[in-house]
Amino acid sequence: MAFATRLVNRELALEACTPLAHPENAEALAALEALLAPPVRAVRFGTGDRQVTIGGKYVVSRHEFTYHNPTACAIAVDDASPREVLQDRVRSAARFSYNYIGRDLGIDAIAVRSTTGDPARFREAVETVQQACGLPLLLCSPDPAVLRAGLEAARDRRPLIHAADRTNWREMGGLAIEFGCPLVVSAPDDLAGLRSLTRTLGAWGIQDLVLDPGTFPGTGLARTLRNFARCRHAAIRGDDELLGFPLLGAPIAAFAGEEIDPVRCAFDEAIMASALLSRYADLLVLQGTAGWSLLPTLFWRFNLYTDPRKPVAVEAGLREFGSPDRNAPVLITANYALTYFTVESDIKAANLSCYLVVADTGGLSVESAVAGRYFSAAGIAEALAASGIADRVDHRVLVIPGLAARLSGEAAEATGWRVLVGPKDSSGLGPFLKEHWPPRPA
Amino acid sequence: MNGRDLVDALGPELLALLRSAGRIELERFCLELDELELRIPLGAFAPANGRVPATPVPERPDQLLPAEYVPERYTYPGRIREVVLGATRRDGGSRGRSLTIGGAEAPAFSLFDRPVVNLPVIAMDVFDTRVPMPKALRAPFEEVRDDPAEWARLNVSRYGAKVITVHLLSTDPLIRNASPRDAAATVESVLQAVDVPLIIGGCGDPRKDADVFAEVAAMAAGERLLLNSVTLEMATAKTLEKVARAASEHGHNLLAFTGLELNDAKELNRRLYEYIPPDRIVMDLTTVALGYGLEYSFSIHERARHAALMGDAELQHPTISGSTNAWAAREAWMPMAPTYGGPELRGPLWEAATALSLLLAGVDIFMMSHPAAIGALRRMISALCAWPLEEVPEGHANDWVTAPLGGDA
């Protein structure tokens, strides 16, 4: 029963029930799959460890439940680029990584676009990309002959094909069946057209579809967001099977508008990416690879897909860094994961020997916790007592975060400890302690 | 447990029932089992979707099968109140014009099935004292940082600010502990320097803020300021009534600030209703920077707006976002490796992205700082508020697929 509960809560996937994989249970598996199927289909592309799953959504807003399958971010490359340029771009995209609260944020896929319209060039580009990285691929061209060349080169990698439209759906559908690949359907600003395509391809037995309702830069953003919202509302609130597929957003369109300054384009692209993440995109195609434009996108993607039912918290309690003695500094902070990991990395970077009391602030950062009274003088006193720190040190001096300065008086009263107000940002802990520790006699 | 047991566990009768039903809605449904709470999302059991495993490959249809799309229009029983910021001479103030915020009748920028009632507004920050600020954030204002009136003038004349927020941080007992009278004089100088509506920010101390707001409210009687902010802490400190009465008596609005907790927001509003009409209250539900909990702010705003539209009168107030808080994120201001660019690029993007997320969650007014971030949010607001919606340029729908694109920044 516990397993079933976790299954319904989507804390476990059906695959976790290994006996179900047994052939004699095929019927039960099928019944459960149908029962648990989300209104927005989950579609996979790529193979092996790097396989990406997109869609699989149950709700319109994350607070209604939680969002599953974080939006995949694909970096675009084109087949007109010289081989070395292509390799460099792909490698740097694949290598991109930023450590955020103990997780590495990065890119999930590469979108190969054919700007030449030449099958041979496209084949070559797809080969080069595959040699340079193991990321899943999107192959993008409106021309079935070009895509065939690319698919032949990526035969074993199950790329996502972009895209079938009103004119080429026969050929594109044929490629999807022949190569066993998922397929994007494209009908810019035309939801009836999208439904017609998914209906037709569905009748043909092609189920692994992704919707591209079009991403329009500049003033076209209203129409873009409206189409995304309409698709998602129709699928979830209206039980519309024909729009119950993942959504592809293309912030890269910011580079195809009137703006030509590349920095401005990358800025606009990041803004569009942020808006599309908030408005249900399951897959994003991006052009900019600079860290400054990728960071907000990768952060927001990560944040939106955290489970709102569980705060991103670390366990409250006492942590020890370096080799603290009985005169070592005692610091206190909140148990929001980001706060904790930031403080931890700063303590380690500054090579400090100290104690850190992690107070239970309900998974909120210091600033929000102070504002919301989750981090209070009484809470500090409680955390201090529960940590048992009084037995580990001979002094009675506590360093509180600068953002909790307001609490210093009351905290001193509540704890009986002397309270020092530390820096607002934990990167200042090193210099702060150098100046203030050991504390001057009061 | 094998697969069959699992099906049994989920209940064969339930399964049969679901198979025969076209549609089942379980709204806010909780099922207690072995003391475990089962949360079943809307639509989780949707056998109507019919994703039954693949059957033998069917034939290709000869033609595209026809399909229509008819947009669903949702209506809501509730509506967000409108709040007027600033009073003109005719209404007993001295502002050149007043602004109305709020009035939403549906979730913001979602289905775009009706025009926006009142455009979201951006207020630009002015600080009355030097506080530590990232260089990239203060650079545009370096020459005016010691003169709030000049700073306000610059915001209006150079950056086109429609509202100014004067943060009276000098009143903070931990900073300069400036007197309420000094603070009022600062506000007066700004009122004289610019004719846009003002938001007056305090220092966060529930006692000191009450004294300052009472003084400012009396000095600027009739100007319809937005006093930022009143809190439950003030209720505890027994200073809430003083501020609320002063605002009511002198014709100002109140900003009710709570920390990411809707029950608190409702409680604070209930207390304020005793002193001031509900259409004088704006809510600050707390804006946390991108990367530092923005998702909490985002979901709180979505939930508040949804509840308000569904009829919760205690949440039917416009909301504000202190988006300058984005700069609390170290990724906004910290020096980083070259690929991350400088804070003069990263910072404004961070601020814009933080504000944008909350714009989409329904926030009505933004307190912001960096001109580049403000420019980006303004472009976004004008793109999203155009009515009827802008058409997609003919023949340029999916250019990104095949077009040679500009360099990679």
Side-chain angles (χ1 to χ4, degrees):
Chain A
M1 198 69 229
F3 184 89
T5 306
R6 296 184 66 192
L7 203 56
V8 172
N9 272 337
R10 317 290 148 178
E11 288 160 10
L12 285 176
L14 210 45
E15 289 84 63
C17 178
T18 43
L20 273 179
H22 202 276
E24 71 179 38
N25 287 323
E27 202 184 312
L29 178 64
L32 276 171
E33 273 178 349
L35 188 66
L36 296 169
V40 174
R41 187 179 177 84
V43 172
R44 296 178 171 82
F45 66 103
T47 52
D49 317 343
R50 308 305 293 263
Q51 189 182 63
V52 170
T53 304
I54 58 175
K57 299 297 197 285
Y58 294 90
V59 288
V60 174
S61 302
R62 70 188 277 277
H63 66 82
E64 296 172 81
F65 184 36
T66 184
Y67 283 162
H68 295 85
N69 303 315
T71 310
C73 293
I75 292 291
V77 300
D78 64 70
D79 64 356
S81 304
R83 190 182 160 80
E84 291 70 30
V85 174
L86 197 53
Q87 274 174 341
D88 283 354
R89 188 168 157 81
V90 170
R91 284 195 187 125
S92 83
R95 254 201 323 265
F96 183 87
S97 174
Y98 187 84
N99 190 280
Y100 170 66
I101 51 172
R103 278 86 156 187
D104 288 317
L105 307 183
I107 293 301
D108 310 286
I110 300 289
V112 191
R113 307 184 300 124
S114 179
T115 58
T116 65
D118 174 0
R121 289 289 292 275
F122 192 62
R123 182 194 313 266
E124 218 174 290
V126 172
E127 281 165 358
T128 304
V129 171
Q130 290 188 96
Q131 284 156 14
C133 78
L135 292 175
L137 302 181
L138 281 79
L139 303 182
C140 310
S141 168
D143 182 346
V146 170
L147 279 179
R148 170 174 290 280
L151 285 163
E152 283 168 359
R155 200 175 271 281
D156 313 319
R157 303 272 288 263
R158 201 163 193 268
L160 174 61
I161 304 172
H162 188 290
D165 59 29
R166 276 176 179 281
T167 57
N168 67 15
W169 64 272
R170 291 181 182 79
E171 296 81 359
M172 294 296 187
L175 289 172
I177 291 171
E178 179 181 345
F179 290 90
C181 293
L183 177 63
V184 181
V185 295
S186 162
D189 198 29
D190 173 14
L191 300 194
L194 278 184
R195 295 186 81 241
S196 168
L197 282 162
T198 60
R199 181 175 174 211
T200 309
L201 293 164
W204 191 2
I206 304 172
Q207 293 290 343
D208 281 336
L209 299 172
V210 175
L211 306 177
D212 179 2
T215 302
F216 318 114
T219 54
L221 195 67
R223 216 162 255 277
T224 308
L225 297 188
R226 178 167 78 176
N227 289 331
F228 274 63
R230 282 179 164 180
C231 286
R232 196 45 51 95
H233 280 260
I236 291 172
R237 296 173 76 176
D239 289 334
D240 183 352
E241 296 169 48
L242 297 182
L243 292 175
F245 297 96
L247 288 159
L248 177 144
I252 185 177
F255 285 81
E258 281 161 21
E259 182 61 53
I260 48 165
D261 172 44
V263 172
R264 187 70 181 264
C265 285
F267 192 102
D268 290 348
E269 180 184 53
I271 291 285
M272 283 172 77
S274 168
L276 287 165
L277 285 168
S278 301
R279 284 293 184 263
Y280 325 123
D282 299 291
L283 170 63
L284 291 179
V285 181
L286 302 164
Q287 172 79 349
T289 57
W292 65 267
S293 71
L294 284 176
L295 270 196
T297 306
L298 298 179
F299 270 51
W300 190 225
R301 183 259 303 255
F302 180 87
N303 296 151
L304 275 177
Y305 283 80
T306 54
D307 189 339
R309 296 169 299 174
K310 300 175 200 144
V312 194
V314 296
E315 217 175 305
L318 185 66
R319 308 287 201 285
E320 198 179 304
F321 294 95
S323 40
D325 58 22
R326 298 193 65 83
N327 296 313
V330 176
L331 320 174
I332 189 164
T333 193
N335 79 329
Y336 176 39
L338 178 69
T339 304
Y340 174 75
F341 284 110
T342 307
V343 174
E344 182 198 67
S345 81
D346 286 326
I347 290 175
K348 286 181 176 165
N351 225 347
L352 304 173
S353 282
C354 63
Y355 290 104
L356 177 66
V357 178
V358 181
D360 182 0
T361 56
L364 290 179
S365 66
V366 173
E367 200 171 14
S368 324
V370 170
R373 298 185 290 180
Y374 291 92
F375 194 60
S376 59
I380 291 174
E382 232 166 80
L384 215 54
S387 71
I389 183 65
D391 302 331
R392 308 260 202 122
V393 293
D394 294 332
H395 65 82
R396 291 292 179 266
V397 182
L398 175 69
V399 179
I400 67 169
L403 290 171
R406 198 160 299 297
L407 303 177
S408 61
E410 291 170 41
E413 224 164 278
T415 58
W417 286 44
R418 191 172 146 204
V419 171
L420 297 182
V421 177
K424 283 195 171 172
D425 190 280
S426 58
S427 58
L429 274 174
F432 174 85
L433 290 176
K434 199 172 244 176
E435 191 181 334
H436 297 278
W437 203 272
R440 278 179 287 271
Chain B
M1 165 183 293
N2 72 29
R4 292 232 167 263
D5 287 347
L6 199 55
V7 174
D8 293 345
L10 282 170
E13 282 171 31
L14 178 64
L15 197 59
L17 194 65
L18 289 169
R19 278 214 182 100
S20 61
R23 173 190 167 115
I24 285 187
E25 278 195 18
L26 303 174
E27 288 194 40
R28 297 175 190 273
F29 178 78
C30 277
L31 186 60
E32 297 285 329
L33 284 171
D34 296 351
E35 299 180 326
L36 285 165
E37 188 178 82
L38 269 178
R39 289 193 192 204
I40 304 180
L42 282 176
F45 289 164
N49 280 323
R51 303 259 160 59
V52 187
T55 39
V57 178
E59 293 277 306
R60 188 190 80 194
D62 290 336
Q63 292 297 324
L64 268 181
L65 303 175
E68 292 187 325
Y69 172 75
V70 183
E72 190 101 31
R73 195 167 193 274
Y74 299 93
T75 54
Y76 298 84
R79 179 177 192 271
I80 306 305
R81 295 181 179 90
E82 292 188 320
V83 173
V84 179
L85 305 179
T88 59
R89 225 167 268 288
R90 211 185 55 196
D91 296 320
S94 66
R95 305 298 82 202
R97 56 172 294 200
S98 58
L99 280 168
T100 303
I101 57 170
E105 295 164 344
F109 311 118
S110 178
L111 294 170
F112 295 86
D113 54 3
R114 64 199 90 198
V116 171
V117 179
N118 292 298
L119 260 58
V121 171
I122 302 171
M124 282 185 78
D125 289 323
V126 166
F127 296 90
D128 77 336
T129 188
R130 287 194 177 230
V131 283
M133 239 189 213
K135 193 166 165 235
L137 179 55
R138 59 172 207 253
F141 311 105
E142 210 60 82
E143 68 213 77
V144 294
R145 283 182 74 210
D146 293 319
D147 187 342
E150 276 309 305
W151 192 338
R153 218 190 301 268
L154 180 82
N155 282 349
V156 172
S157 61
R158 189 181 300 171
Y159 301 118
K162 298 279 191 294
V163 179
I164 295 288
T165 309
V166 187
H167 295 277
L168 299 169
L169 295 179
S170 68
T171 61
D172 192 327
L174 301 171
I175 299 179
R176 254 177 41 209
N177 204 16
S179 69
R181 186 164 302 208
D182 288 347
T186 301
V187 173
E188 193 171 12
S189 73
V190 176
L191 280 169
Q192 279 162 11
V194 297
D195 71 349
V196 301
L198 300 191
I199 300 172
I200 306 301
C203 67
D205 181 302
R207 290 172 195 86
K208 184 64 182 280
D209 277 356
D211 295 342
V212 169
F213 289 149
E215 181 87 19
V216 169
M219 181 280 297
E223 293 287 5
R224 221 174 172 103
L225 307 170
L226 176 60
L227 301 178
N228 167 18
S229 56
V230 289
T231 60
L232 285 173
E233 270 188 302
M234 283 180 166
T236 310
K238 307 218 182 306
T239 56
L240 185 67
E241 184 177 346
K242 177 178 180 174
V243 182
R245 285 198 189 283
S248 172
E249 186 183 333
H250 300 294
H252 302 298
N253 301 307
L254 290 175
L255 182 57
F257 177 87
T258 47
L260 298 170
E261 174 55 58
L262 291 190
N263 289 322
D264 287 354
K266 285 160 62 81
E267 186 193 334
L268 179 55
N269 289 342
R270 278 196 300 275
R271 286 168 183 260
L272 294 176
Y273 297 155
E274 292 176 29
Y275 309 107
I276 195 164
D279 66 358
R280 298 270 196 88
I281 301 171
V282 179
M283 296 190 293
D284 185 339
L285 303 175
T286 298
T287 295
V288 192
L290 169 61
Y292 289 69
L294 177 61
E295 67 276 24
Y296 294 91
S297 294
F298 178 76
S299 286
I300 273 282
H301 281 91
E302 282 205 322
R303 282 174 53 207
R305 186 51 55 96
H306 188 74
L309 293 170
M310 293 309 286
D312 187 337
E314 290 167 1
L315 292 172
Q316 287 166 351
H317 297 273
T319 51
I320 198 168
S321 159
S323 303
T324 302
N325 288 354
W327 291 82
R330 37 172 62 197
E331 286 77 8
W333 54 263
M334 198 170 53
M336 292 170 76
T339 180
Y340 296 102
E344 70 289 345
L345 201 53
R346 236 187 298 127
L349 179 57
W350 218 263
E351 186 181 342
T354 299
L356 171 62
S357 297
L358 295 176
L359 178 72
L360 296 179
V363 165
D364 300 279
I365 176 164
F366 295 85
M367 293 186 281
M368 299 181 69
S369 279
H370 198 284
I374 290 166
L377 195 71
R378 258 187 210 143
R379 289 198 300 280
M380 193 58 72
I381 289 171
S382 77
L384 296 182
C385 291
W387 191 265
L389 270 62
E390 299 272 350
E391 295 294 330
V392 175
E394 196 69 35
H396 288 280
N398 256 352
D399 279 355
W400 66 267
V401 180
T402 52
L405 298 180
D408 193 11

